[in-house]
Every structure is written in C-alpha cells, then in structure tokens.
Amino acid sequence: ARDGLSFTERHRLDALPGLLAQRLRFADLTLLPRSGPSPADLMHLFESVLYHSRAPILLTDRGLGALDRAMIAWDESDVALAAVRAAAPVLAACDEVEIVTVDLPGAGEDLAQMLSRRGAVPAITPLQRGGRSIAETLIAHGRETGADLIVAGAYGHARLREMLLGG
C-alpha cells in the first residue's frame, strides 16, 4: 500500500479532488490548506479544484480571520480582473489593500477606482523587475511587506494550451 494506505483508502483519496471540484462549482470561495502530510496530494487537490471547479481558491492554514493586508498582482488582464472580482468579499474585510504592478508605469488607477467604490482605499505600488521574473518580484514584495493574501489571476492562456504547454 502506497503511503501506508490501503488500496481502498488510496482510491477514496484519489477520487476526492474530482468530487470536491464537482461540489465546489457553486462555491463563492474555496479554502484549501497550504501544507499537509503529502505535498503531492495537496498539489493534486489544488489542480483539480483549479481546473474543474472554476471557484476562486484561497490557500491558507490560518483561515479568513487572519487576513489584514492584501496585495493585488495587477497586469491589466481580464484574468487578473476576474481574480479581483472573485476576491472582492475578502478584500473588503482587509485593513489594507495594495495594487502592485511590475513594469507597467501608470497602471492600476482604474482598478483603484473600482475598489474604492466598494469601500477599499487601495495604494498603488509600481515595481521594476530588476533582473528577476515577475513572479519572483511579486513574491519578494509580498514577503517584504507582510502581505497576508496575494490576489492574482490563475492563468492567462486557453485552458487546453495551459494543460499541454504550461503557464
């Protein structure tokens, strides 16, 4: 038995992501753990929910009550806008909301206006990559500023292309 689980237990565990994805189609938000006993199982669960439920996902081990500072990774794309709209209820509960752009001077004003209509007072922070990837730049900024939540679009390509070639 793999991982010390019986065949029946492993089969149930393998079927869980598909079952969750089906049930979560109607969820407003999906909370998934960031850590656990098996990183491979967590990744399988995350990918199943991401690709099959289309519900926004929040990876956290602390729950919603611990989210005070949100960072929005903004690239002006429809995917990023969909992520912000999906996260709007969570963003409204945050004390601070920061819109972060990378190598996009002047971007974020329209998003800030949209969020201000919903009660947020977001700050806009333009960053330069400085030899790093955009993802590395965003993650480093999130760590430096103590962001509890990073809102970003999940993928920007057609889903078939994403599955075949990666994002």
Side-chain angles (χ1 to χ4, degrees), residues 10-143:
R10 174 54 53 194
H11 178 71
R12 275 192 247 153
L13 186 59
D14 289 343
L16 180 62
L19 177 62
L20 281 175
Q22 177 65 26
R23 300 273 174 111
L24 292 172
R25 290 177 45 225
F26 301 100
D28 294 321
L29 178 68
T30 303
L31 291 172
L32 293 178
R34 287 178 32 171
S35 59
S38 169
D41 286 340
L42 287 174
M43 182 57 75
H44 182 61
L45 177 64
F46 174 77
E47 288 176 350
S48 293
V49 173
L50 176 67
Y51 290 119
H52 301 293
S53 75
R54 311 272 312 190
I57 300 169
L58 175 60
L59 298 174
T60 182
D61 289 330
R62 300 185 303 173
L64 291 175
L67 303 176
D68 296 321
R69 189 171 198 308
M71 182 182 110
I72 299 171
W74 183 243
D75 65 0
E76 298 188 319
S77 69
D78 290 341
V79 174
L81 182 58
V84 171
R85 284 188 172 133
V90 176
L91 292 171
C94 291
D95 294 333
E96 297 178 49
V97 177
E98 178 185 28
I99 300 168
V100 178
T101 64
V102 179
D103 294 336
L104 288 173
E109 292 293 331
D110 292 339
L111 180 62
Q113 188 174 33
M114 181 187 98
L115 291 171
S116 69
R117 289 192 305 264
R118 296 177 181 205
V121 183
I124 300 173
T125 304
L127 300 175
Q128 299 296 315
R129 276 193 293 174
R132 298 183 289 191
S133 72
I134 291 174
E136 291 169 335
T137 303
L138 291 168
I139 291 169
H141 182 76
R143 284 187 177 132

